[in-house]
Amino acid sequence: MAPQSRIYLTRHSQAEHNVADDYSIPDAPLTPLGKQQSARLPSLTQDLQSRAEVILSSGLKRTLQSTKIGYAPLIERLGGLGKVVLLPQLQECNDFPCDTGSPREVLERDPELQGFDLSPLTPDWTSKQGFYAADEETLNKRAQWVRQYLRSRPEQDIVVMAHGDILRRITQQPYPWKNAEVRLFQFDTSSVDSEECPLVHVQDVATGGAVAEPTSGDIAAHHGESSPGAGKNANSALPAIPISNSGSFSNFAASTAPAADTIAKDAELKRIEDRVRHRQSILMEQTNELQELEKRLQAAEARKKELESRGGFV
């Protein structure tokens, strides 16, 4: 046991259900932008990539993709994708299709996921029943199990790739997570030996995404819905997070308003404004990429003309 371990919790990059606000997408994979967000992590976490001793990952497609891309240097140093430890216990909380993993045989046929050791994904991992049920009590027990498992690991530096809602439960903190965000936690030394073994936030490490995409739990709470297999307000132990693209651990603040109708109107207006800003940020990223490609093309054309003027080969 290494109770003084440094635990680097990471949320996956942008996935299809984040963009569409649609939790009916089965085992939602990363978007092209999500893959770009993951690709930023290696340069932002060079020190971590050079010294972490193990990677633990949820078995959903978006977390496996985020792990493969975002921690590529670390994976190579540890000996390949087969060294990544898949923990079905890190799967997302709700039993919406987007938060339900694919059967092992489906993942084995996915060429993008070749190389992962999928043996920990037992047949019941997609059931959303028993240990994986979406009710309040079971979710809290599963989050506690994850903390106890982390406490039992012997490594000093541990990387974890998971999802926004389960990360809130593991950390017992309601703060929203940005896409491809990495935060450092350690165990509370005063209670590390307790059953709860709570984690303490140490610092924000890096983020590959500029916005805090809503989780399926956020979307459902916003629309007054609950997970299909869960009781009403299954995630009520944690305050509902407004659907916002500006949230982070360091700047999160709770707010209250006097009237219910005002709250509803303000929340809806904020949601619309936030989604517009999000779309603008995506367009800005895409515009920057196109401008960079255009510069490279112009440089190549200039080089071609230079070679032609010299009578060289093109």
Side-chain angles (χ1 to χ4, degrees), residues 31-202:
T31 63
L33 177 58
K35 292 181 179 181
Q36 293 172 20
Q37 292 171 343
S38 291
R40 295 177 187 140
L41 281 184
S43 63
L44 297 173
T45 58
Q46 293 183 32
D47 181 61
L48 174 58
Q49 306 260 1
S50 67
R51 59 182 170 78
E53 300 162 78
V54 67
I55 308 175
L56 314 176
S57 178
S58 159
L60 273 77
K61 289 181 180 179
R62 57 186 179 272
T63 42
L64 294 178
Q65 291 172 310
S66 298
T67 296
K68 179 179 178 179
I69 301 171
Y71 287 107
L74 174 56
I75 290 171
E76 181 178 4
R77 184 172 63 80
L78 293 177
L81 289 172
K83 298 297 184 180
V84 176
V85 179
L86 268 60
L87 275 188
Q89 295 83 355
L90 287 171
Q91 66 180 273
E92 187 58 302
C93 295
N94 301 298
D95 56 0
F96 299 121
C98 66
D99 295 334
T100 303
S102 301
R104 175 178 170 179
E105 56 270 21
V106 172
L107 297 176
E108 287 175 338
R109 293 194 297 268
D110 190 330
E112 193 172 358
L113 304 179
Q114 296 297 308
F116 282 105
D117 176 10
L118 303 175
S119 60
L121 303 182
T122 53
D124 66 331
W125 98 280
T126 64
S127 68
K128 292 296 183 179
Q129 296 179 4
F131 185 73
Y132 302 114
D135 64 273
E136 183 70 27
E137 181 180 359
T138 303
L139 289 172
N140 286 333
K141 286 183 178 179
R142 176 152 65 90
Q144 178 178 287
W145 183 95
V146 171
R147 291 193 299 274
Q148 292 176 352
Y149 176 82
L150 291 171
R151 182 181 61 184
S152 73
R153 297 289 311 192
E155 297 87 1
Q156 187 64 37
D157 293 283
I158 300 172
V159 168
V160 177
M161 179 69 73
H163 310 261
D165 284 335
I166 191 62
L167 286 172
R168 291 175 186 167
R169 290 187 175 274
I170 292 170
T171 61
Q172 299 174 298
Q173 297 168 348
Y175 309 103
W177 288 70
K178 293 180 181 179
N179 292 126
E181 182 175 9
V182 186
R183 299 178 190 167
L184 170 60
F185 285 79
Q186 289 186 291
F187 287 105
D188 184 340
T189 55
S190 65
S191 52
V192 65
D193 294 323
S194 68
E195 285 192 4
E196 281 296 315
C197 50
L199 293 169
V200 177
H201 176 259
V202 178

Side-chain angles (χ1 to χ4, degrees), residues 217-240:
D218 294 334
I219 299 169
H222 178 76
H223 293 293
E225 303 171 11
S226 62
S227 181
K232 183 68 175 175
N233 298 324
N235 288 321
S236 60
L238 298 178

